[in-house]
Amino acid sequence: MGVGKSTVGGLLAARLGCAFRDTDDDIVAAQGRTIADIFVDEGEPAFRALEKQAVHAALAEHGGVLALGGGAILDEVTRELLAGHRVVYLSMEVEEAVQRTGLNTARPLLAVNPRRQWRELMDARRSLYTDVAHAVVATDGRSPEEVAQAVLDALELKEA
């Protein structure tokens, strides 16, 4: 959360001369409401089902840069599908998360004691991220442009 997936993804797509897609945006467009509202109205399991559908559709339909929500890798089938793609895990430490997002309550999974919840989420997810990733790029202290360049370098990709 707040690592810059959408911003960096858009920059990468522009540099590579391809399309960009964000599955969180797909969910919001399809549902006509925010992710926070989906969490509040229907709960996390309902959101995860929508997320799984959105990710699977995007992986099947989209050939450019794709940004996935931070919880997309929780689904085993999704992780298996990602194995056929070049995946980059954008990492960030809690101190950077605080600076970027303030760990505010607009993020449903961080509504109570955000620092502790962020650490718990990352402890639970980090190994899943690294398992599917072809590269890990630290974002701490870097601009989106620097992170995009680090991704290109890590994947040995050339700009269009």
Side-chain angles (χ1 to χ4, degrees):
M1 287 178 265
V3 75
K5 297 178 297 286
S6 298
T7 301
V8 171
L11 289 169
L12 284 170
R15 289 185 182 188
L16 293 169
C18 64
F20 171 71
R21 184 168 173 177
D22 184 321
T23 57
D24 282 351
D25 292 344
D26 291 350
I27 295 166
V28 169
Q31 296 296 307
R33 56 197 167 137
T34 68
I35 290 171
D37 286 344
I38 297 168
F39 265 82
V40 169
D41 295 343
E42 297 180 39
E44 185 177 358
F47 172 75
R48 295 295 172 211
L50 294 170
E51 181 177 53
K52 179 179 177 177
Q53 292 170 357
V55 170
H56 292 206
L59 287 171
E61 302 165 0
H62 183 71
V65 175
L66 181 62
L68 306 182
I73 49 83
L74 296 174
D75 179 69
E76 184 177 348
V77 175
T78 299
R79 290 193 308 272
E80 291 170 7
L81 288 174
L82 289 171
H85 300 273
R86 287 189 264 191
V87 176
V88 177
Y89 163 36
L90 299 179
S91 70
M92 175 174 62
E93 296 301 323
V94 69
E95 293 78 16
E96 186 86 1
V98 169
Q99 290 176 0
R100 291 186 187 188
T101 68
L103 295 180
N104 61 39
T105 57
R107 298 182 185 273
L109 292 178
L110 301 177
V112 179
N113 195 345
R115 274 183 197 264
R116 188 188 84 227
Q117 286 179 303
W118 189 91
R119 282 190 178 107
E120 288 174 1
L121 281 173
M122 289 309 302
D123 288 346
R125 295 177 180 181
R126 188 171 282 115
S127 67
L128 297 175
Y129 292 149
T130 57
D131 286 349
V132 301
H134 289 78
V136 177
V137 174
T139 64
D140 301 81
R142 289 177 158 173
S143 71
E145 292 78 12
E146 291 169 327
V147 174
Q149 187 59 54
V151 171
L152 290 172
D153 293 345
L155 295 179
E156 298 179 351
L157 297 173
K158 303 291 182 210
E159 293 185 42

